[in-house]
Amino acid sequence: MKEPIVVAALYKFVGLPDYVELRQPLLDTLLANDIRGTLLLAEEGINGTVSGTRQGIDRLLAWLRNDPRLADVDHKESYCDEQPFYRTKVKLKKEIVTLGVPGVDPNRRVGTYVEPRDWNALIDDPEVLVIDTRNDYEVAIGSFEGAVDPKTRSFREFPDYIKAHFDPTRHKKVAMFCTGGIRCEKASSYMLGEGFEEVFHLKGGILKYLEQVPQGESRWRGDCFVFDNRVTVRHDLSEGEFELCHACRMPVSAEDRASAHFVAGVSCPHCWDQLPEKTRASARERQKQIELARERHQPHPIGRDPRRHDA
C-alpha cells in the first residue's frame, strides 16, 4: 500500500532576529527530505504548510525543535494520497501573517488560549461574541454555529471592521478562531491593545478542533478551506469536494461546476462576468499549460495565490 502524504501546518510567534540567516539551512533541510510547500520566516516567527513522507516531516520537526526557540512549535497534521504542493520555498517576510498594524506583537501580549475540548462551552455562552477572523471565501464554505462573519477580503481589513462594529465597553468577552490558530494570536493581541478585556482564541485553530472533537459533539458546519491543492477538508480531515477556480481563486462546489458559467481554469459563477478579457485570455493559456503538465506528470503552473499562508 502506498504511504500517505503527511500535510503539516506549523507556526510559532517567537523572536527570530537571525531569520535571514535561517532561510538557507531551513530550505536545505526541506530539500534534503523531499518536503514540498512554503514556509515563511520573519523576525516575529515562522509560519507555513508543508508536505512529505512521515519520515521527512519528522526530520523537519526534529530540525526545528533542535532550536530552543522552536522547541514547542505548533503543528497540526492531516493526510492525503498525492502531494498537495508542487514546489519547495522558504520566504522572508515582514510579518508571518499580515495585519499591517505597527506594534501588534503576540510575543509580548496575546489572548487566552482555549483548548478544542473547551471551545463548545465557551461559544455556547450567550455573553461571548464569536468572530471568524478568516476571509469571506473561507467563511462561505464553513464556520462555527453563530459566528460573526466580518466579510473581509484580507486580514488587513480586520482592524477597520472591529473599530466600525464593536465597542470594548459593550463587548466584554470575545472569542475568535481561524484555520490553524495563527491569525487569532495576532488578532487577539490587536484586540487587547484596543481595550477589549477578555479575549479568547481557539488553540490550534479549526484544524485542531476537527481533529480532536467528535463530529457528534461538533459545532462546526461545512468544510474547512485549506491552503493547498486539496482546497477543503471535511470534519474527518479527508479531502472535500471543492476545487479552486484558477481564474479568480475562489473555491467552487460540485453545484458551481455544473453551472453554464463554469469553464475549468477560465471562469466560474463567482467571476464569469467580472474578469477583463485580458485576464480571461491569460487564464485560458494557463489552463492549457496545466492540462499539458498533467499529461506529462509535471508540476502544474497554476500561478501565484496571494492568499496562501495567511491563515
Side-chain angles (χ1 to χ4, degrees):
M1 181 179 294
K2 185 178 179 181
E3 182 181 2
I5 298 296
V6 181
V7 182
L10 59 91
Y11 82 92
K12 186 180 182 184
F13 282 104
V14 62
L16 297 176
D18 57 340
Y19 74 100
V20 175
E21 288 74 28
L22 286 175
R23 179 186 179 276
Q24 193 58 50
L26 177 55
L27 179 60
D28 291 343
T29 300
L30 295 176
L31 293 172
N33 291 287
D34 195 25
I35 295 172
R36 302 178 191 176
T38 301
L39 292 177
L40 308 181
L41 287 173
E43 191 168 355
E44 68 178 10
I46 185 171
N47 175 35
T49 305
V50 292
S51 58
T53 63
R54 174 78 272 164
Q55 184 180 54
I57 295 297
D58 286 346
R59 286 177 175 172
L60 168 63
L61 293 172
W63 186 90
L64 291 170
R65 288 168 176 160
N66 192 50
D67 186 327
R69 299 170 298 181
L70 301 172
D72 59 346
V73 62
D74 182 276
H75 99 285
K76 294 159 286 296
E77 294 184 355
S78 55
Y79 303 88
C80 57
D81 295 330
E82 303 292 338
Q83 268 284 6
F85 299 111
Y86 301 123
R87 298 172 181 83
T88 304
K89 299 178 183 178
V90 177
K91 297 182 178 181
L92 303 179
K93 296 286 186 177
K94 291 182 179 180
E95 299 179 78
I96 55 174
V97 57
T98 305
L99 183 64
V101 178
V104 176
D105 183 4
N107 291 315
R108 183 172 55 87
R109 176 172 55 189
V110 74
T112 302
Y113 296 95
V114 180
E115 295 289 344
R117 65 177 177 271
D118 300 321
W119 182 249
N120 287 354
L122 176 66
I123 66 174
D124 284 348
D125 183 342
E127 295 185 1
V128 174
L129 170 67
V130 185
I131 304 176
D132 192 330
T133 66
R134 301 172 304 151
N135 294 338
D136 52 6
Y137 59 90
E138 300 170 81
V139 181
I141 291 173
S143 190
F144 282 106
E145 290 179 352
V148 173
D149 175 11
K151 300 187 185 303
T152 53
R153 299 186 65 183
S154 79
F155 195 35
R156 285 179 176 272
E157 298 176 4
F158 184 77
D160 288 340
Y161 174 83
I162 293 299
K163 289 178 180 178
H165 293 85
F166 302 115
D167 182 350
T169 63
R170 292 190 298 112
H171 303 98
K172 300 294 187 179
K173 296 181 180 180
V174 181
M176 297 180 293
F177 62 93
C178 57
T179 307
I182 184 170
R183 273 196 184 203
C184 295
E185 289 213 29
K186 186 160 270 192
S188 71
S189 182
Y190 167 77
M191 297 284 277
L192 289 169
E194 290 297 302
F196 291 88
E197 296 178 6
E198 294 185 74
V199 182
F200 305 90
H201 50 106
L202 177 58
K203 187 176 182 180
I206 299 162
L207 294 178
K208 185 61 72 173
Y209 179 92
L210 299 182
E211 177 186 321
Q212 294 187 356
V213 176
Q215 193 162 355
E217 302 173 12
S218 178
R219 301 293 192 277
W220 178 261
R221 298 294 178 265
D223 281 11
C224 177
F225 186 93
V226 290
F227 292 85
D228 59 58
N229 291 337
R230 294 172 299 171
V231 185
T232 68
V233 293
R234 300 184 177 93
H235 200 290
D236 62 0
L237 297 179
S238 64
E239 185 173 345
E241 67 161 20
F242 287 81
E243 296 180 5
L244 206 63
C245 172
H246 296 311
C248 68
R249 314 303 297 174
M250 287 289 289
V252 289
S253 64
E255 182 179 357
D256 291 329
R257 297 194 295 276
S259 167
H261 298 306
F262 178 77
V263 179
V266 178
S267 67
C268 74
H270 303 290
C271 69
W272 69 275
D273 61 346
Q274 298 180 15
L275 298 182
E277 182 53 36
K278 182 178 180 180
T279 302
R280 193 80 66 207
S282 176
R284 291 191 188 96
E285 179 59 29
R286 183 174 61 232
Q287 183 63 21
K288 178 181 177 181
Q289 296 303 316
I290 288 173
E291 292 171 359
L292 288 173
R294 282 174 176 161
E295 292 175 4
R296 299 166 182 165
H297 302 288
Q298 295 175 342
H300 304 178
I302 60 175
R304 175 179 177 273
D305 184 352
R307 305 179 310 198
R308 289 183 182 275
H309 310 296
D310 193 18

